[in-house]
Amino acid sequence: MASSKEPIILHDVRDALAGHGLILRGGFQPEPRDGAPPGTGTVLLVGNAGPQMWRAFEATRPDGRDPLNSWTVTVLTDVADRFGARAIFPFVGPPYAPFITWAKLAEPVFESPLGMLIHPTFGLWHAWRGALAFPEPLELPALEPAPNPCETCSDRPCLTSCPVKAFTGDRYDVSTCATHLRTPQGTDCLAEGCRARRACPIGQDYRYEPLQAALHMTAFLRERPD
């Protein structure tokens, strides 16, 4: 049964997403400057944290070059159709939807030293897979404030764990990272996920399974040819 503080539509959407290992990651009522499609009254963000989505994906994994993106489109389009919404994806464009902006409007996330957005609970082990744009302004729970975990992390192991020092805290050297991944010394990062990301102490219970991490790392490398 839905909480008395939560509109039933959000409860239903959350249940539909949970069947695919996905989670409802907050929402907002967009202003014109937020980049939502014209006529949008509410944007709900959809994403994942930890391995649940991966397990659901593996059970029905499609063929093709980008199986996770294909799976995401199929799943979220079906959910959107059920609730009279429009599905939007961060990997479909141009133009690309401003998901980073939307994420900051929908839930408490913060810029980490690696450049990724960190969540107080999930750490760096999360992502946004899409959004549901509703024509009506839905009633949403208030955005609860949360502390930025990086502000109390004095050691910052994320900045000292990269074997090729691709992260400086001010910039991310994509080329150096990709070159490293193509060497025998980069096998660990390619197979288990970014070593700097793994070093973050926040959200370790949500760490991706090796096959999930490897899929993302392989996709990253594929988009950066020699």
Side-chain angles (χ1 to χ4, degrees), residues 24 128 188 219:
L24 179 59
W128 295 273
D188 173 65

Side-chain angles (χ1 to χ4, degrees), residues 3-14 24-31 34 40-46 102-107 132-144:
S3 166
S4 60
K5 297 182 180 179
E6 182 180 38
I8 188 65
I9 182 68
L10 297 189
H11 179 269
D12 291 345
V13 172
R14 183 175 286 112
L24 179 59
R25 302 201 53 183
F28 62 97
Q29 296 176 357
E31 301 289 340
D34 296 330
T40 299
T42 306
V43 174
L44 299 182
L45 291 193
V46 177
W102 291 358
K104 293 177 180 178
L105 292 171
E107 59 182 322
L132 301 174
F134 290 80
E136 64 269 28
L138 304 176
E139 183 180 352
L140 300 172
L143 181 61
E144 297 184 4

Side-chain angles (χ1 to χ4, degrees), residues 112-115 159 164-176:
S112 74
L114 299 185
L159 293 180
V164 291
K165 297 180 172 54
F167 300 98
T168 66
D170 296 318
R171 63 186 294 270
Y172 166 39
D173 190 335
V174 180
S175 178
T176 294

Side-chain angles (χ1 to χ4, degrees), residues 131-199:
L132 301 174
F134 290 80
E136 64 269 28
L138 304 176
E139 183 180 352
L140 300 172
L143 181 61
E144 297 184 4
N148 179 351
C150 296
E151 291 183 351
T152 56
C153 181
S154 58
D155 293 339
R156 297 206 167 188
C158 59
L159 293 180
T160 57
S161 299
C162 177
V164 291
K165 297 180 172 54
F167 300 98
T168 66
D170 296 318
R171 63 186 294 270
Y172 166 39
D173 190 335
V174 180
S175 178
T176 294
C177 174
T179 298
H180 173 68
L181 291 175
R182 293 188 175 96
T183 69
Q185 293 75 24
T187 300
D188 173 65
C189 289
L190 190 60
E192 298 284 342
C194 171
R195 191 178 296 179
R197 188 180 193 180
R198 284 184 277 151

